[in-house]
Amino acid sequence: MVTPLPHVLRALLARHAEACARRLEGDTTASRRALDNAGHTLCVTTGTRSVEKALARADLLLAAARGRHAPPDDGTPHRATPVPSA
């Protein structure tokens, strides 16, 4: 897997967080689509198959890029889990 650049990961995480916030503000077709698209892009970029694992992997990759010891990748999300789809 090609390791994504930190600024790309940060932008994708921001996009996902924004989509989660929009979804919480109102459950519309557009907000669901934006959240699904953001989650899918995170999965593809991090080489994972679930948003939870993509968020955890992004955290690990960013920690590694900062030169810090990253926690083991046990599949446990290190961020809030995404809003479930309706």
Side-chain angles (χ1 to χ4, degrees):
M1 177 180 107
V2 175
T3 303
L5 295 171
H7 74 275
V8 171
L9 287 172
R10 285 191 292 274
L12 292 174
L13 290 171
R15 178 178 160 204
H16 185 267
E18 185 177 323
C20 282
R22 279 197 206 131
R23 176 81 189 277
L24 290 173
E25 290 172 356
D27 185 17
T28 64
T29 301
S31 67
R32 284 191 301 272
R33 186 176 299 126
L35 185 57
D36 289 345
N37 287 342
H40 175 76
T41 303
L42 267 172
C43 288
V44 169
T45 303
T46 59
T48 59
R49 292 185 177 198
S50 74
V51 174
E52 293 82 7
K53 288 184 179 184
L55 293 170
R57 176 78 49 86
D59 283 345
L60 290 170
L61 291 170
L62 287 172
R66 289 189 302 267
R68 296 184 181 163
H69 176 68
D73 185 7
D74 61 357
T76 305
H78 298 283
R79 295 182 177 274
T81 55
V83 177
S85 52

